[in-house]
Amino acid sequence: MEYALTLEHVSKRFGAHRAVDDLSLSIPSGSIYGFLGPNGAGKTTTIRMVTNIIQPDEGTITVLGQKSSELTKDLLGYLPEEKGLYKKMKCAEILAYFGRLKGMGAREAKTKARDLLERYGLGEWADKRTEALSKGMGQKVQLLGTLIHDPRLLILDEPFSGLDPVNVELLRDLILEQRRAGRTVIFSTHGMEQAEQICDFIFLINNGKKVIDGPLSQVRKSAEQAVMLDYDGDGSLLASLPGVVRVNNAGKSAELFLAPGSDPQLLLRALVGVVQVRRFDQREPSLHEVFVRAVGGRQAAKDLSHG
Amino acid sequence: MVENKTWLVALREYTENLRTKTFWLGILSFPVILIIAAVVPSMLAKAKDVRRYAVIDRTEWLLPAIEERAQYDDVLQLLKFLQKQAAKGESALAKMPAALRGVAAGLEQKSSKQLETQARFWTGLGKSFANLQATPKPDEGSQGPEVGEQAREFLNWFASLSPGEARSLQAGVKRERYERIEIPAGTADPEAWARAQLDSGKSGLFAYFVLGATPLDSNEGFKYVSNNRTDKELKDWIGRLSSEEIEARRFAKEKIDPDVARRIQAPVYFDEKQLDSSGQEKEVSSKDVIRQWAPLVFVYLLWVSIFTIAQLLLTNTIEEKSNRIIEVLLSSISPLELMTGKILGIAATGLTTIVCWVGFFLIGLKFMPKLMDLPADVDLTVLISDPSFLLSFVVYFLLGFLLYASMMVGIGSACNSIKEAQNLMSPIMIALMLPLLAMMPVGQDPNGTLARILSFIPPFTPFVMMNRAAGPPEMWEYVVTTILLIVSVLLAFFAAAKIFRVGILMTGKPPKMGEIFRWVFAKEGK
């Protein structure tokens, strides 16, 4: 298999803190790879090393077949978590500027900037200053800025945070479109929903160490069986029902985790006597659950609900 | 390719700065300040309130004599003023009161001696002003120019000239500023009256004078009473007029010929000369004096430019950091490219500003003397007649700018707000103040010990060496200080690059000085 990105035994320390610890990772070309992990786990540090903004203390990073360096920067499209635009520049100008910084010619960058804006419904904003854009539009322009030089590897750090549902959908389509075009997309996220919807592979990092890494379907299978339940009534007794190991209770709905080998039908029968069941959905565990279990502890769950 | 990206950053920085209002305001602020500096002080002096004063004369004769001398000063001033206006042409005269127009017409060819004679003669007539009106013709025996209808009209006009009218004339007469209040006739105790007036402030009395009874013998009884302790102009003026009168009378009393007295009193006068390039004595012209002062002007210009631009770079770096665009840029270019690009872009912005300023300055040099009422023979363009001044200005500007810019970028990249930066800035600010404070001493003694020592301290080198230009310093000093300066610029630049690399991605608490030093000495990649 051809890899768009490989990390071999990469470590990075900040003072005494090990931000990334002996991390190895291979990302196949043409895939969508989700980077998950609680705050401070090392996602952004990993991404910054891949983009050569900071250099690893140990290990090697290979980007599209080349050892990571100042030169590989031009091959990447990177959207950082902290993103901004020059307020006084016009949309088309700033896109062209980003393109030129990636080594595009002046004329080529100019045409491409207008094309992109036109294609993504921002044509009329091309000659307006970026300060006039709404937040969602601003993020769109930022994203276009990472695409302008047609990078074969796209790295998006928390691209979904702060987007409204319409823009979330737009971004999702855009990411899928990139894969169709044969490009590789890596994105980090707190939003399990998006990761579940579009990722081919999941990589979970905690305390600088790799916790889970593999195709989404496999990752899910490795976890416990679960039942999604929508109900009315007193949910406090759910945990004591037969076969239930743990409950992720949200009040009107709950996720019930079953002991290996237990029968969901038995559970359903018991449930009827306890609460009024509106939905009973037997399914593979959500990525959310995989995440919480892998990271362990309530802190991670908290991070998630706030993320 | 690498340089290419640096230029891209620099170009963007430059064009964006050119689009800001601040940039243009900055450019325009200079001529505005220049004009203000030239015009406002004299305007402010003119805008002072009219000072009302009273005089209690215990001699009976001194006050009228003072009045006469004051009147003579004003009339002479007016005649000189009219002469100047007449030289300007018809349009300038057209704005004058009718009483002055006729007088002005006859003044053009007169020497200053003749003007003095005319003023003395006319004020002499003014003394017996009542007689003048009664008998249209002056006494047969009086000397000087013939007094005709014109003079009478003029003196009539002058007698009734109010401070406000005098001021609108802008001739610079004392009448603009001072108005004597008569003590009502028959006041039993004039001094008590004046005291009460001053105390109540009702009549707007600023001060009162008491002239002692025996001025020819002693100063006894002379008094100046006012609650204003800062403005001494009125006191000095009346003091001068009184002294002149009393002096003249003392001479007369001792039967000393006024000419003899003048000779006795004449101070020793040194004729100022300097040696020219061939070792010959030559006159000191205003040009030479200005040339001596020129370096100071350049030091100041240098200081303001470096300071302004470095400040711009600091705020710009911090803004960029808070703009959160840094990381996008760093995913395309290296920190060193980004920093160099920014410094170059801002330097270009600053240079544009300074070139404009120098342009305004050159225009200003042509017109400043007129605005500031300097004598006509003062030619400020001498300031830039020496190309070595301009050349060293450019060199020291570039080196000095790079040195301070590196410091500012280093500090700016480590801070998240201007406020944080100000704490770290204070040592630099203090360092920057020193060359300004040392400007006068170094200018007066360009090759003295202080000047020499300061020249070898790189942060001061650009200013102090510029300051010493009139000296001039020896060649080896130029060479050694410049090498020192260049080495420090390189060191500062690479230290800044190290700090920039780490600091620019930092958020949260600003680092301590010690921490910043550790970044500088940390190995690459950490």
Coordinates of all heavy atoms in Angstrom, one line a residue, chain A residues 204-262:
Chain A
L204 N -6.4 7.2 17.7 CA -6.8 7.8 19.0 C -5.5 8.0 19.8 O -4.7 7.0 20.0 CB -7.8 7.0 19.7 CG -8.6 7.7 20.8 CD1 -9.9 6.9 21.0 CD2 -7.9 7.8 22.1
I205 N -5.3 9.2 20.3 CA -4.0 9.4 21.0 C -4.4 10.0 22.4 O -5.4 10.7 22.5 CB -3.1 10.5 20.2 CG1 -1.8 10.7 21.0 CG2 -3.9 11.8 20.0 CD1 -0.8 11.5 20.1
N206 N -3.7 9.5 23.4 CA -3.9 10.0 24.8 C -2.6 10.1 25.5 O -1.8 9.2 25.4 CB -4.9 9.1 25.5 CG -5.3 9.7 26.8 OD1 -5.4 11.0 26.9 ND2 -5.7 8.9 27.8
N207 N -2.3 11.2 26.2 CA -1.1 11.4 26.9 C 0.1 11.2 25.9 O 1.2 10.7 26.4 CB -0.9 10.5 28.1 CG -1.9 10.9 29.1 OD1 -2.3 12.1 29.3 ND2 -2.5 9.9 29.8
G208 N 0.0 11.6 24.7 CA 1.1 11.5 23.8 C 1.3 10.1 23.2 O 2.2 9.9 22.4
K209 N 0.5 9.1 23.6 CA 0.7 7.8 23.2 C -0.5 7.3 22.3 O -1.6 7.7 22.5 CB 0.9 6.8 24.3 CG 2.2 7.0 25.1 CD 2.4 5.7 25.9 CE 3.7 5.8 26.7 NZ 3.7 6.7 27.8
K210 N -0.1 6.5 21.3 CA -1.2 5.9 20.5 C -2.0 4.9 21.3 O -1.5 4.1 22.0 CB -0.5 5.2 19.3 CG -1.5 4.6 18.4 CD -0.9 4.4 17.0 CE -0.1 3.1 16.9 NZ 0.4 2.9 15.6
V211 N -3.3 5.1 21.3 CA -4.2 4.2 22.0 C -4.9 3.3 21.0 O -4.9 2.0 21.2 CB -5.2 5.0 22.8 CG1 -6.1 4.0 23.6 CG2 -4.5 5.9 23.8
I212 N -5.5 3.8 20.0 CA -6.2 3.0 19.0 C -5.7 3.5 17.6 O -5.5 4.7 17.4 CB -7.7 3.2 19.1 CG1 -8.2 2.6 20.4 CG2 -8.4 2.5 17.9 CD1 -9.7 2.9 20.7
D213 N -5.6 2.6 16.7 CA -5.2 3.0 15.3 C -5.7 1.9 14.4 O -5.3 0.7 14.5 CB -3.7 3.1 15.2 CG -3.3 3.5 13.8 OD1 -4.2 4.0 13.0 OD2 -2.2 3.2 13.4
G214 N -6.6 2.2 13.5 CA -7.1 1.2 12.6 C -8.3 1.6 11.8 O -8.8 2.7 12.0
P215 N -8.8 0.7 10.9 CA -10.0 1.1 10.2 C -11.2 1.2 11.1 O -11.3 0.6 12.1 CB -10.2 -0.1 9.3 CG -8.9 -0.9 9.2 CD -8.3 -0.6 10.5
L216 N -12.1 2.1 10.8 CA -13.2 2.5 11.7 C -14.0 1.2 12.1 O -14.3 1.0 13.3 CB -14.1 3.5 11.0 CG -15.3 4.0 11.8 CD1 -14.9 4.8 13.0 CD2 -16.3 4.8 10.9
S217 N -14.3 0.4 11.1 CA -15.2 -0.8 11.4 C -14.5 -1.7 12.4 O -15.1 -2.2 13.4 CB -15.4 -1.5 10.1 OG -14.2 -1.8 9.5
Q218 N -13.2 -1.9 12.3 CA -12.5 -2.7 13.3 C -12.5 -2.1 14.6 O -12.7 -2.8 15.6 CB -11.0 -2.9 12.8 CG -10.8 -4.3 12.3 CD -9.4 -4.3 11.7 OE1 -8.4 -3.8 12.3 NE2 -9.2 -5.0 10.6
V219 N -12.3 -0.8 14.7 CA -12.2 -0.1 15.9 C -13.5 -0.3 16.7 O -13.5 -0.6 17.9 CB -11.9 1.4 15.7 CG1 -12.1 2.1 17.0 CG2 -10.5 1.6 15.2
R220 N -14.6 -0.2 16.0 CA -15.9 -0.4 16.6 C -16.1 -1.8 17.1 O -16.6 -2.0 18.2 CB -17.0 -0.1 15.6 CG -17.3 1.4 15.5 CD -18.3 1.5 14.5 NE -19.0 2.8 14.6 CZ -19.9 3.2 13.7 NH1 -20.1 2.4 12.7 NH2 -20.5 4.3 13.9
K221 N -15.7 -2.8 16.3 CA -16.0 -4.2 16.7 C -15.2 -4.5 18.0 O -15.7 -5.4 18.7 CB -15.5 -5.1 15.6 CG -16.5 -5.1 14.4 CD -16.5 -6.5 13.8 CE -17.5 -6.6 12.6 NZ -17.0 -5.9 11.4
S222 N -14.1 -3.9 18.2 CA -13.3 -4.2 19.4 C -14.0 -3.8 20.7 O -13.6 -4.3 21.7 CB -12.0 -3.6 19.3 OG -12.1 -2.2 19.4
A223 N -15.1 -3.0 20.6 CA -15.7 -2.6 21.8 C -16.9 -3.4 22.1 O -17.4 -4.3 21.4 CB -16.1 -1.1 21.6
E224 N -17.5 -3.1 23.3 CA -18.7 -3.8 23.8 C -19.9 -3.6 22.9 O -20.0 -2.6 22.2 CB -19.1 -3.3 25.2 CG -18.0 -3.4 26.2 CD -18.3 -2.5 27.3 OE1 -18.5 -1.3 27.1 OE2 -18.4 -3.0 28.5
Q225 N -20.9 -4.5 23.0 CA -22.2 -4.4 22.4 C -22.9 -3.3 23.1 O -22.8 -3.1 24.3 CB -22.9 -5.7 22.5 CG -23.2 -6.3 21.2 CD -24.1 -7.5 21.4 OE1 -24.5 -7.9 22.5 NE2 -24.5 -8.1 20.3
A226 N -23.8 -2.6 22.4 CA -24.5 -1.5 23.0 C -25.9 -1.5 22.5 O -26.2 -1.9 21.3 CB -23.8 -0.2 22.8
V227 N -26.8 -0.9 23.3 CA -28.2 -0.7 22.8 C -28.5 0.8 23.0 O -28.2 1.4 24.1 CB -29.2 -1.5 23.7 CG1 -30.6 -1.1 23.5 CG2 -29.0 -3.0 23.3
M228 N -29.1 1.4 22.0 CA -29.5 2.8 22.1 C -31.0 2.8 22.5 O -31.8 2.1 21.9 CB -29.4 3.5 20.8 CG -28.0 3.8 20.3 SD -27.1 4.8 21.5 CE -28.0 6.3 21.5
L229 N -31.3 3.5 23.5 CA -32.7 3.4 24.1 C -33.2 4.9 24.2 O -32.6 5.7 24.8 CB -32.6 2.8 25.5 CG -33.9 2.6 26.2 CD1 -34.8 1.6 25.6 CD2 -33.6 2.3 27.7
D230 N -34.5 5.1 23.7 CA -35.2 6.3 24.0 C -36.3 5.9 24.9 O -37.1 4.9 24.6 CB -35.8 6.9 22.7 CG -34.7 7.5 21.8 OD1 -33.5 7.4 22.2 OD2 -35.0 8.1 20.8
Y231 N -36.6 6.6 26.0 CA -37.6 6.2 26.9 C -38.2 7.3 27.6 O -37.7 8.5 27.6 CB -36.9 5.2 27.9 CG -36.0 5.9 28.9 CD1 -36.4 6.3 30.1 CD2 -34.6 6.1 28.5 CE1 -35.5 7.0 31.0 CE2 -33.8 6.8 29.3 CZ -34.2 7.2 30.6 OH -33.3 7.8 31.4
D232 N -39.4 7.0 28.3 CA -40.0 8.0 29.2 C -40.0 7.3 30.6 O -40.2 6.0 30.6 CB -41.4 8.4 28.8 CG -41.3 9.3 27.6 OD1 -40.4 10.1 27.5 OD2 -42.1 9.1 26.6
G233 N -39.9 8.0 31.6 CA -40.0 7.4 33.0 C -38.8 7.5 33.8 O -37.8 8.2 33.4
D234 N -38.7 6.7 34.8 CA -37.6 6.8 35.7 C -36.4 5.9 35.2 O -36.5 4.7 35.1 CB -38.1 6.3 37.1 CG -36.9 6.3 38.1 OD1 -35.9 7.0 37.8 OD2 -37.1 5.7 39.2
G235 N -35.3 6.5 34.9 CA -34.2 5.8 34.3 C -33.2 5.3 35.3 O -32.2 4.7 35.0
S236 N -33.5 5.5 36.6 CA -32.5 5.2 37.6 C -32.3 3.7 37.8 O -31.3 3.3 38.3 CB -32.9 5.8 38.9 OG -34.1 5.3 39.4
L237 N -33.3 2.9 37.3 CA -33.2 1.5 37.5 C -32.5 0.8 36.3 O -32.2 -0.4 36.4 CB -34.6 0.9 37.7 CG -35.3 1.3 39.0 CD1 -36.7 0.8 39.0 CD2 -34.5 0.8 40.2
L238 N -32.2 1.5 35.2 CA -31.6 0.9 34.0 C -30.4 0.1 34.3 O -30.2 -1.0 33.7 CB -31.3 2.0 33.0 CG -32.5 2.7 32.4 CD1 -32.1 3.8 31.5 CD2 -33.4 1.7 31.6
A239 N -29.5 0.6 35.2 CA -28.2 -0.1 35.4 C -28.4 -1.4 36.1 O -27.5 -2.3 35.9 CB -27.4 0.8 36.3
S240 N -29.5 -1.7 36.7 CA -29.7 -2.9 37.5 C -30.4 -4.0 36.6 O -30.6 -5.1 37.1 CB -30.5 -2.7 38.7 OG -31.8 -2.2 38.3
L241 N -30.7 -3.7 35.4 CA -31.3 -4.7 34.5 C -30.4 -5.8 34.1 O -29.1 -5.6 34.1 CB -31.9 -4.0 33.3 CG -33.0 -3.0 33.6 CD1 -33.4 -2.2 32.3 CD2 -34.2 -3.7 34.1
P242 N -30.9 -6.9 33.7 CA -30.0 -8.1 33.4 C -29.1 -7.8 32.2 O -29.5 -7.3 31.2 CB -31.0 -9.2 33.1 CG -32.3 -8.5 32.8 CD -32.3 -7.3 33.6
G243 N -27.9 -8.2 32.4 CA -26.9 -8.1 31.3 C -26.2 -6.7 31.2 O -25.3 -6.6 30.4
V244 N -26.8 -5.7 31.8 CA -26.3 -4.3 31.6 C -25.0 -4.1 32.5 O -25.0 -4.4 33.7 CB -27.4 -3.3 32.0 CG1 -26.8 -1.9 31.9 CG2 -28.5 -3.4 31.1
V245 N -24.0 -3.7 31.8 CA -22.7 -3.5 32.5 C -22.6 -2.0 33.0 O -22.2 -1.7 34.1 CB -21.5 -3.8 31.7 CG1 -20.2 -3.7 32.5 CG2 -21.7 -5.2 31.1
R246 N -23.0 -1.1 32.0 CA -22.8 0.3 32.2 C -23.9 1.1 31.5 O -24.4 0.6 30.5 CB -21.4 0.7 31.7 CG -20.6 1.4 32.7 CD -19.1 1.4 32.4 NE -18.8 1.1 31.0 CZ -18.8 2.0 30.0 NH1 -19.0 3.2 30.2 NH2 -18.5 1.6 28.8
V247 N -24.2 2.2 32.0 CA -25.2 3.0 31.3 C -24.7 4.4 31.0 O -24.0 5.0 31.9 CB -26.5 3.2 32.2 CG1 -27.5 4.1 31.5 CG2 -27.1 1.8 32.5
N248 N -24.9 4.9 29.8 CA -24.6 6.2 29.5 C -25.9 7.0 29.3 O -26.5 7.0 28.3 CB -23.8 6.2 28.2 CG -23.1 7.5 27.9 OD1 -23.2 8.4 28.8 ND2 -22.5 7.6 26.8
N249 N -26.4 7.5 30.5 CA -27.8 8.0 30.5 C -27.9 9.5 30.2 O -27.2 10.3 30.9 CB -28.4 7.7 31.9 CG -29.9 7.8 31.9 OD1 -30.5 8.3 31.0 ND2 -30.5 7.3 32.9
A250 N -28.7 9.8 29.3 CA -28.9 11.3 29.0 C -30.3 11.8 29.4 O -30.7 12.8 28.9 CB -28.7 11.5 27.5
G251 N -31.1 11.0 30.2 CA -32.4 11.4 30.7 C -33.5 10.9 29.9 O -34.3 10.1 30.4
K252 N -33.6 11.3 28.6 CA -34.7 10.7 27.8 C -34.2 9.6 26.8 O -34.9 9.0 26.1 CB -35.3 11.9 26.9 CG -36.0 12.9 27.7 CD -37.5 12.5 27.9 CE -38.2 13.5 28.8 NZ -39.4 12.9 29.4
S253 N -32.9 9.5 26.8 CA -32.3 8.5 26.0 C -31.1 8.0 26.7 O -30.5 8.7 27.5 CB -31.9 9.0 24.6 OG -30.9 9.9 24.7
A254 N -30.7 6.7 26.4 CA -29.6 6.2 27.1 C -28.9 5.2 26.2 O -29.4 4.6 25.3 CB -30.0 5.5 28.4
E255 N -27.6 5.0 26.5 CA -26.8 3.9 25.8 C -26.5 2.9 26.9 O -25.9 3.2 27.9 CB -25.5 4.6 25.3 CG -25.0 3.9 24.1 CD -23.8 4.7 23.5 OE1 -23.5 5.8 24.0 OE2 -23.1 4.2 22.5
L256 N -27.0 1.7 26.6 CA -26.8 0.6 27.6 C -25.7 -0.4 27.0 O -25.8 -0.8 25.9 CB -28.1 -0.2 27.8 CG -29.3 0.6 28.1 CD1 -30.5 -0.3 28.3 CD2 -29.1 1.5 29.4
F257 N -24.7 -0.7 27.8 CA -23.7 -1.6 27.4 C -23.9 -2.9 28.0 O -24.1 -3.1 29.2 CB -22.3 -1.0 27.8 CG -22.1 0.3 27.1 CD1 -22.4 1.5 27.9 CD2 -21.7 0.4 25.8 CE1 -22.3 2.7 27.3 CE2 -21.5 1.7 25.2 CZ -21.8 2.8 25.9
L258 N -23.7 -3.9 27.2 CA -24.1 -5.3 27.6 C -22.8 -6.1 27.9 O -21.8 -5.9 27.2 CB -24.9 -6.0 26.5 CG -26.2 -5.2 26.1 CD1 -27.0 -6.1 25.1 CD2 -27.0 -4.8 27.3
A259 N -22.9 -7.0 28.8 CA -21.8 -7.9 29.1 C -21.7 -8.8 27.9 O -22.7 -9.2 27.2 CB -22.1 -8.7 30.4
P260 N -20.5 -9.2 27.6 CA -20.3 -10.1 26.4 C -21.2 -11.4 26.5 O -21.3 -12.0 27.6 CB -18.8 -10.5 26.5 CG -18.2 -9.4 27.3 CD -19.2 -8.9 28.3
G261 N -21.9 -11.7 25.4 CA -22.7 -12.9 25.4 C -24.1 -12.7 25.9 O -24.9 -13.6 25.8
S262 N -24.5 -11.6 26.5 CA -25.8 -11.4 27.0 C -26.8 -11.2 25.9 O -26.4 -10.6 24.8 CB -25.8 -10.3 28.1 OG -25.6 -9.1 27.4

